[in-house]
Amino acid sequence: MDHEIQTDRFPENSRRALANPQLQKALTIATAKFTAARSAAVSDVGEEWQDLRNRARQIKEHAIANLDRYLEQFSGNVERLGGHVLWARDAAEANDIIRKLAVSNGVKLAVKSKSMMTEEIELNHALAAAGVEAIETDLGEYIVQLAGERPLTS
């Protein structure tokens, strides 16, 4: 599959889209609908909303504090089910592992998810250097990719 992306007109096209009253109206409507749907969901949960949110934060913090144990558990489960887990000490090693896998399997196009992690290790650059084009699955990240920019990390 020959997949070519043209980004040279992205700045012009995005400025035109942002100035389009019809698109501005659609964005306003979509934002209002999202906000209303979120408010309705919070209302449906009721007074437990903040407690659930706090509990989710505690679970996340616990998982991060015990990441080594959970990664070992995950690895064991994957291998028990016939999969393989490859460990990397740093971004360079992770990119090297992924690049070698892609090259050895003749990969020309990679569809990616978890874009922030792959941005942190600069995977797109490693893949491009190996002749592999990377495409984002998230629409927002894909738009950022088309613009030749990096997503905001803060």
Side-chain angles (χ1 to χ4, degrees), residues 8-21 23-24:
D8 57 335
R9 295 189 321 207
F10 182 82
E12 172 192 334
N13 291 342
S14 62
R15 278 191 291 278
R16 187 174 39 241
L18 290 171
N20 183 319
L23 289 177
Q24 289 177 359

Side-chain angles (χ1 to χ4, degrees), residues 2-147:
D2 184 23
H3 186 81
E4 190 173 322
I5 299 174
Q6 298 289 328
T7 63
D8 57 335
R9 295 189 321 207
F10 182 82
E12 172 192 334
N13 291 342
S14 62
R15 278 191 291 278
R16 187 174 39 241
L18 290 171
N20 183 319
Q22 190 172 0
L23 289 177
Q24 289 177 359
K25 183 178 179 181
L27 183 58
T28 299
I29 291 169
T31 303
K33 284 184 178 182
F34 171 81
T35 302
R38 184 184 185 282
S39 294
V42 169
S43 178
D44 286 348
V45 173
E47 294 178 14
E48 295 178 45
W49 169 253
Q50 195 59 44
D51 291 339
L52 290 170
R53 188 173 181 186
N54 290 337
R55 180 69 181 128
R57 182 179 295 112
Q58 291 170 354
I59 291 168
K60 176 183 171 183
E61 290 170 358
H62 170 81
I64 291 170
N66 296 280
L67 191 56
D68 56 341
R69 183 179 73 174
Y70 288 117
L71 288 173
E72 287 293 335
Q73 181 181 353
F74 172 77
S75 176
N77 288 335
V78 167
E79 290 174 358
R80 182 176 47 80
L81 295 170
H84 301 281
V85 176
L86 303 171
W87 299 91
R89 286 182 292 276
D90 56 23
E93 188 175 358
N95 285 334
D96 192 49
I97 290 168
I98 296 165
R99 182 190 54 76
K100 284 178 181 175
L101 283 170
V103 169
S104 68
N105 287 286
V107 173
K108 298 293 179 205
L109 177 66
V111 179
K112 298 179 3 190
S113 64
K114 297 299 175 197
S115 299
M116 291 308 295
M117 185 277 303
T118 63
E119 276 298 322
E120 289 176 5
I121 68 170
E122 298 185 350
L123 180 60
N124 286 5
H125 299 295
L127 290 173
V132 178
E133 182 180 6
I135 301 294
E136 304 292 341
T137 57
D138 178 86
L139 178 59
E141 297 298 331
Y142 183 59
I143 291 169
V144 169
Q145 180 186 22
L146 289 177

